[in-house]
Amino acid sequence: MESYSNPYVCNVHSYRYVSNRSPDDLQSFQRISSLLLPPPHQPFRNVPVRVFLPLSPETGKLSLKVLQSPIPPSISSNQTSSRSSTASGPQQPQTVGTALHSLLPNLFPSKRTPVLAKPVLHGSVLPMSAPLEEVARCAAYGDGWLSIVVRMVG
């Protein structure tokens, strides 16, 4: 595995730390998880999201493109771009749909309905209306990232 200087490209140290643990060691997993995720009563500052995009079959080999970005857990109600939560006013939870629309507007033109692609997590299609912070708390991988695979429709 390569080492990257950009923390949004790959968190090699947490990957190595988590991958060296036994898969049946719940106590070690919970200790590591508590270091990577905030406590239940404390909100996320940003939700670390990793999106795996399929490349065109024209390339001749199967491969994925990876996009990583921290996403704010809430957005203002009247905000048009969901990338920033600094606007004042009423806040609403960032959903899977609003996050994917802000990261990949060409693949996710709608914030509510998967038109061209579907988000998949742990083998199941994610509802676009699911709050991103809740999904991260329940289904983040051992390295603390929410890894979403994009499956093309049709």
Side-chain angles (χ1 to χ4, degrees):
M1 170 162 274
E2 294 180 283
S3 177
Y4 296 98
S5 61
N6 185 341
Y8 300 119
V9 174
C10 188
N11 193 339
V12 175
H13 301 295
S14 66
Y15 172 79
R16 286 183 185 152
Y17 189 70
V18 171
S19 65
N20 289 334
R21 302 289 165 227
S22 167
D24 298 326
D25 190 359
L26 181 61
Q27 187 176 23
S28 290
F29 173 78
Q30 287 176 332
R31 188 177 71 247
I32 295 166
S33 179
S34 69
L35 295 172
L36 296 172
L37 297 175
H41 63 278
Q42 181 181 358
F44 278 80
R45 279 187 249 156
N46 287 299
V47 178
V49 175
R50 183 178 291 141
V51 181
F52 294 89
L53 300 166
L55 290 180
S56 171
E58 299 167 358
T59 59
K61 59 181 179 178
L62 295 175
S63 58
L64 295 171
K65 182 177 181 179
V66 179
L67 173 67
Q68 297 182 161
S69 181
I71 305 290
S74 60
I75 56 176
S76 68
S77 297
N78 55 5
Q79 188 175 346
T80 57
S81 171
S82 59
R83 293 288 297 183
S84 164
S85 63
T86 58
S88 61
Q91 297 285 307
Q92 66 182 20
Q94 177 93 264
T95 64
V96 171
T98 57
L100 291 173
H101 176 74
S102 69
L103 287 173
L104 303 162
N106 292 336
L107 279 179
F108 295 95
S110 171
K111 298 176 186 178
R112 295 187 180 112
T113 308
V115 178
L116 302 173
K118 292 183 179 184
V120 177
L121 179 67
H122 298 292
S124 299
V125 176
L126 277 172
M128 298 284 275
S129 61
L132 195 64
E133 185 172 9
E134 288 182 30
V135 173
R137 286 194 189 279
C138 297
Y141 280 83
D143 60 358
W145 287 80
L146 187 61
S147 298
I148 298 172
V149 175
V150 172
R151 189 183 87 198
M152 302 307 292
V153 174

